[in-house]
Amino acid sequence: MVVPSTKPVRQETAAAAASHGSGIPTVDMSAPGGRGALSRQVARACAEHGFFRAVSHGVPPGPAARLDAATAAFFALAPHDKQRAGPPSPLGYGCRSIGFNGDAGELEYLLLHASPAAVAHRARSIDTDDPSRFSTVVNDYVGAVRQLACDILDLLGEGLGLKDPRSFSKLITDTDSDSLLRINHYPPACTIHKLDHDDQCKMKSIVRTKNGNGLNSSAGARIGFGEHSDPQIISLLRANDVNGLQVLLPNSDGKEVWVQVPADPSAFFVNVGDLLQALTNGKLVSVRHRVIASACRPRLSTIYFAAPPLHTRISALPETITADSPCQYRPFTWAEYKKTMYSLRLSHSRLDLFQVGDDDNSNVGKGEQE
């Protein structure tokens, strides 16, 4: 029997999104109050919001600036030149079409596997003049951001009181890690742009919201990337100074509202992923978010998705399971979860499919991990 999900009532309005910007937690990674206070702050932000803004994070500006310049140059190419790096499978260059099940948004993107060998292979179709130049830029950036992801995960381990605080970070430093790098380019909404260059770029998107009857209705906004949670362990997003990112957070009345995240190109925005929610037995929350592409300037964002090797067995860590908090999810591998993800629409609450009921708890929750 599946345990029914108990989620706050959702209220999706533009006013709600505009009026709750102050609800975004900010974490100073330089630890002015000491490491213990920092670990507790990170754990609290991930438990209460599944999301926070990381400042003074220690990632030098150079790798980010070089990556932004390289990807901006790619997106400025003629359509037929960009198409050499696609179509997405799901890796590569894509335009408007997201995934394999009909989702779409007002964007074009590059999705890359984060391993140096995979980057080198894809670079041949992205920077035909000097593929090694693009590879170097991407690898430098991935190395810097992976280190920040590890630091955050170790802080989470400490804040949660895990026996091995490195339980999470060890999963993403494995040589077979399945981590990804995604670069999204959202063209300006107020000018005519040139994304309609092949069949996959013909679909326009609008935001869908739920009315009082639970039915979808059009809100009239221009959606860049639809509502979803990130399936991996953790994701680190960095963007330019153009607004658009929104996260779904509960307000004081327990209703979920879309909260506009103020742009900050010097910060990283950290999302808890589905796997981290499962590993912590629901103590940390995988946040749902979306991008509204209504600005009159282009938005460029880069997201590092930290993931384990495909064969990794995901199950709740022993410290997170108690008599009062039985295991919520059955064990699964990242490969199994990834396959399920690709079979579903973007907005699907995938983790619900892996929930267990009271009758199943005797067979799960051993905290095993391979």
Side-chain angles (χ1 to χ4, degrees), residues 342-362:
Y342 284 134
S343 71
L344 301 170
R345 295 296 297 267
L346 188 64
S347 62
H348 199 286
S349 298
R350 301 171 290 258
L351 204 52
D352 289 351
L353 300 178
F354 294 81
Q355 286 183 319
V356 297
D358 293 339
D359 294 340
D360 303 309
N361 268 297
S362 59

Side-chain angles (χ1 to χ4, degrees), residues 125-156:
S125 59
I126 295 173
D127 186 345
T128 55
D129 292 335
D130 188 355
S132 63
R133 173 176 57 190
F134 185 81
S135 294
T136 299
V137 167
V138 171
N139 291 335
D140 287 348
Y141 182 82
V142 167
V145 178
R146 182 195 294 117
Q147 183 58 55
L148 176 59
C150 288
D151 292 343
I152 291 170
L153 291 173
D154 288 346
L155 286 164
L156 276 172

Side-chain angles (χ1 to χ4, degrees), residues 206-266:
I206 55 177
V207 171
R208 298 286 180 178
T209 62
K210 293 182 180 179
N211 60 27
N213 298 320
L215 301 176
N216 284 330
S217 60
S218 298
R222 182 173 180 265
I223 190 164
F225 207 107
E227 174 187 345
H228 65 288
S229 64
D230 293 337
Q232 293 88 354
I233 293 176
I234 199 171
S235 54
L236 275 62
L237 180 148
R238 182 187 54 81
N240 62 3
D241 60 349
V242 177
N243 284 331
L245 177 63
Q246 296 181 353
V247 293
L248 194 62
L249 299 176
N251 65 9
S252 58
D253 298 324
K255 295 179 180 179
E256 286 185 327
V257 295
W258 285 110
V259 177
Q260 180 72 48
V261 179
D264 183 353
S266 67

Side-chain angles (χ1 to χ4, degrees), residues 300-319:
L300 186 69
S301 66
T302 303
I303 311 98
Y304 173 71
F305 300 100
L310 289 170
H311 61 78
T312 302
R313 181 180 171 87
I314 303 297
S315 60
L317 296 173
E319 301 96 317

Side-chain angles (χ1 to χ4, degrees), residues 19 27 46 50 55 57 69 82 104 120-121 132 135 137 145 165 179 191 231 250 252 267 303 319 323 338 342 361:
S19 64
V27 176
C46 291
V55 299
H57 42 70
K82 290 184 283 192
H121 174 75
S132 63
S135 294
V137 167
V145 178
S179 299
T191 58
S252 58
I303 311 98
E319 301 96 317
K338 193 174 181 180
Y342 284 134
N361 268 297

